[in-house]
Amino acid sequence: HSSHDVAGLMEKYRGVAGQKPMAEVERARARLSRKLVELDGAIAAVQENGQQAEARVYSILESAVQRGVALAEGRIQQYLADQQELKRQLEEGDWMAEVLQEFKQDLSPHEFLEAWIRSSRIREEVAKMSELPPHQPPPELAVVGDLTVVAGGAFTS
């Protein structure tokens, strides 16, 4: 190569090296910077949406749990009331049996029969009261339906 070629090349190098970055590169940098800002915004929006969805799911679950607890407690209260009534009736029956036993021991056969006849209506009433409706097994609590989390265009109302 000649010195003339080397001088021309050096001149071109100095011309290019001294110039500002090319306009194409600057435009590309600006586009990339805008894309980064858009992506930062999209990331923030997804994070906020995710937090809102999480809060909604927890709210739905909390409500469902509270309803299940209330249903179970209501059923328990019903059974406790039935239990108390049955205990009361047993105590009443025991009392009547004791009274009749005392009558049998303390009264003459004639007096005992009169007391027995007079108390027959009371015994019949007590017997009727003890006829509770058949015990039904408690319904089991069940989860019905789904909680579905979707993304994008899969939203339905």
Side-chain angles (χ1 to χ4, degrees):
H1 297 253
S2 68
S3 62
H4 177 35
D5 289 339
V6 172
L9 187 58
M10 287 302 284
E11 192 176 307
K12 285 182 182 181
Y13 168 77
R14 281 188 205 109
V16 170
Q19 291 180 359
K20 293 183 179 179
M22 294 187 287
E24 289 177 17
V25 172
E26 281 193 28
R27 284 193 300 272
R29 279 187 55 105
R31 278 193 310 271
L32 291 174
S33 292
R34 284 192 305 273
K35 283 289 187 190
L36 280 175
V37 168
E38 287 175 18
L39 283 175
D40 287 343
I43 289 169
V46 168
Q47 287 172 332
E48 182 179 342
N49 181 259
Q51 290 169 349
Q52 289 172 350
E54 179 181 358
R56 178 72 178 129
V57 166
Y58 279 121
S59 173
I60 291 169
L61 290 176
E62 182 179 26
S63 176
V65 168
Q66 288 172 351
R67 178 156 167 71
V69 167
L71 289 170
E73 286 175 353
R75 180 56 84 174
I76 288 170
Q77 290 304 316
Q78 216 174 10
Y79 285 141
L80 288 173
D82 288 350
Q83 184 184 51
Q84 282 300 108
E85 175 59 18
L86 290 174
K87 286 179 181 180
R88 186 198 66 74
Q89 289 178 17
L90 281 173
E91 288 174 4
E92 187 176 47
D94 289 347
W95 175 81
M96 286 181 65
E98 284 178 35
V99 167
L100 289 175
Q101 187 62 34
E102 287 176 19
F103 283 175
K104 189 176 178 183
Q105 291 173 356
D106 297 341
L107 300 176
S108 69
H110 176 70
E111 292 171 322
F112 175 76
L113 286 175
E114 285 180 0
W116 178 265
I117 292 169
R118 282 193 306 249
S119 66
S120 66
R121 196 177 58 121
I122 295 171
R123 288 192 314 274
E124 288 171 10
E125 291 297 320
V126 169
K128 284 181 187 176
M129 286 180 16
S130 67
E131 293 175 8
L132 293 176
H135 179 71
Q136 297 179 9
E140 292 184 20
L141 295 179
V143 177
V144 178
D146 293 327
L147 180 63
T148 306
V149 178
V150 296
F155 295 113
T156 58
S157 21

